[in-house]
Amino acid sequence: MRYNCGSELGANQTRKRVACSFVAAINHNSMLELLAKRTADHLRLAPRSPKYLCLRDAIVQMISEGLLSEGDRIPTEQQLAAALPVSLGTVQKALNNLVETGDLYRQRRRGTFVAESERRHQLGYPIFSFFRPDNTMVQLTFVKLLKRERVQKSGPWSDRLGSCAEGYVHLVRRDRIDGVFNCHTELYLRADTAEQLMQVDSTVLEQESILPLLQTLHSEQKFQAQNQVGCIRLPRPIREVIDAEMPEESWGMRLETLYQLTSGSTVVWQVMHIPINEYRLNFLVAHA
């Protein structure tokens, strides 16, 4: 009798494992089908964009919509290449890019997984947008905070922000645009209104654009921005952040932005150095 019960129990466990495997297979196939559709849509809408960017955008879109959740295992590179309208090399390039930017992570001998939300550093710009050569808007910018310090001395920042006895908060970032090129970004804020930025975790400064942070620091929810654009030869410290192998005589765009309250007082001075590239920069007329 014990033998029969054990056999029945073992059979039930086997059936449960088969059922779970069947459900997993359905979810796996559904993921591949949906990702194939999304990738095809991106390829159709942006035929001149690199294919790996179209696949990357499709994966990120599914993550942002909750169709891929934290901890979900991504199909293997071979499975993706077989199911999607792209080559194995394109799949590998897209996944490597997503691992680099923190959207995915790999575990040896286990596979590639969707990262936790706090691992992902995606940033949008509130006052301007980058567009690819095929005129599709860049959806993602990935930020790495390189320096955070308090500055007591005067300089060009004090000319823009006004005198401040408490000093100034200075932030330096590397902004990776669309996974294609890097920009060097510096921000100066008055310490008397931005002191808490010296205390927050660095990931907060990597996950939020400056506008939501300003809305947290100030009771006023509306800001305006003044932009000034020029072309300069990039200094060595900036070249090293953008691309350590840039030639000495490299030129780029210098985008200076003053964020102001509706009263007219300036609260942030931002300077962004952008290397020469095929992307287009569009400025927004209205600001939140």
Side-chain angles (χ1 to χ4, degrees):
M1 180 65 68
R2 293 193 188 93
Y3 176 80
N4 291 337
C5 290
S7 298
E8 185 176 352
L9 179 61
N12 288 337
Q13 290 175 336
T14 300
R15 283 194 292 270
K16 287 180 180 179
R17 285 195 294 268
V18 171
C20 291
S21 298
F22 181 69
V23 171
I26 292 176
N27 292 338
H28 177 84
N29 292 334
S30 298
M31 180 196 302
L32 283 174
E33 290 175 2
L34 182 56
L35 184 55
K37 181 180 183 304
R38 291 294 181 88
T39 303
D41 289 343
H42 280 275
L43 290 170
R44 176 176 53 82
L45 295 173
R48 294 175 55 194
S49 286
K51 291 183 177 181
Y52 84 94
L53 291 181
C54 293
L55 173 56
R56 186 207 65 185
D57 286 356
I59 294 174
V60 170
Q61 184 181 46
M62 289 178 64
I63 293 173
S64 64
E65 293 176 2
L67 299 172
L68 287 174
S69 303
E70 297 177 7
D72 281 354
R73 185 177 183 275
I74 302 298
T76 67
E77 295 174 350
Q78 290 74 17
Q79 290 171 330
L80 289 172
L84 305 181
V86 295
S87 68
L88 177 60
T90 296
V91 170
Q92 292 171 336
K93 192 170 184 179
L95 295 187
N96 287 339
N97 184 271
L98 288 169
V99 169
E100 177 186 348
T101 55
D103 281 271
L104 303 179
Y105 68 95
R106 291 190 172 109
Q107 289 188 354
R108 185 175 176 81
R109 296 182 180 178
R110 290 197 59 205
T112 304
F113 301 84
V114 177
E116 299 175 1
S117 57
E118 54 264 29
R119 289 191 183 185
R120 302 198 295 270
H121 307 303
Q122 304 171 11
L123 188 74
Y125 294 102
I127 59 167
F128 55 84
S129 299
F130 286 94
F131 283 78
R132 295 172 182 160
D134 63 357
N135 208 37
T136 57
M137 188 172 72
V138 172
Q139 300 294 328
L140 298 173
T141 298
F142 303 94
V143 170
K144 177 64 177 177
L145 182 66
L146 303 178
K147 180 189 292 186
R148 173 172 46 181
E149 63 180 355
R150 180 192 290 271
V151 178
Q152 292 294 147
K153 63 183 180 180
S154 299
W157 48 90
S158 55
D159 295 337
R160 273 76 170 182
L161 299 173
S163 177
C164 182
E166 289 84 354
Y168 306 87
V169 175
H170 178 214
L171 307 175
V172 181
R173 305 184 325 211
R174 178 175 61 240
D175 298 358
R176 186 156 184 80
I177 310 300
D178 206 27
V180 175
F181 61 91
N182 296 323
C183 297
H184 177 283
T185 302
E186 284 188 271
L187 300 101
Y188 287 89
L189 305 91
R190 292 175 58 94
D192 56 1
T193 59
E195 169 62 27
Q196 66 189 80
L197 295 187
M198 295 296 297
Q199 312 300 328
V200 300
D201 190 271
S202 61
T203 57
V204 174
L205 301 176
E206 293 175 333
Q207 292 173 340
E208 286 282 12
S209 66
I210 194 62
L211 190 55
L213 293 176
L214 287 177
Q215 292 171 336
T216 300
L217 295 172
H218 298 271
S219 58
E220 185 168 355
Q221 295 297 301
K222 292 189 176 181
F223 297 85
Q224 57 189 7
Q226 292 185 3
N227 297 294
Q228 184 175 346
V229 180
C231 187
I232 68 165
R233 191 173 68 180
L234 298 174
R236 180 177 177 180
I238 291 175
R239 294 199 312 271
E240 289 177 348
V241 170
I242 294 176
D243 184 350
E245 297 182 358
M246 289 186 76
E248 184 176 349
E249 297 297 322
S250 296
W251 288 72
M253 178 190 296
R254 182 181 187 275
L255 171 59
E256 179 179 338
T257 303
L258 297 177
Y259 289 88
Q260 299 174 324
L261 301 173
T262 52
S263 63
S265 59
T266 301
V267 292
V268 180
W269 179 43
Q270 175 178 297
V271 180
M272 188 175 193
H273 290 92
I274 307 168
I276 294 176
N277 60 83
E278 295 182 345
Y279 282 53
R280 178 166 52 87
L281 192 62
N282 273 20
F283 293 96
L284 305 180
V285 176
H287 314 299

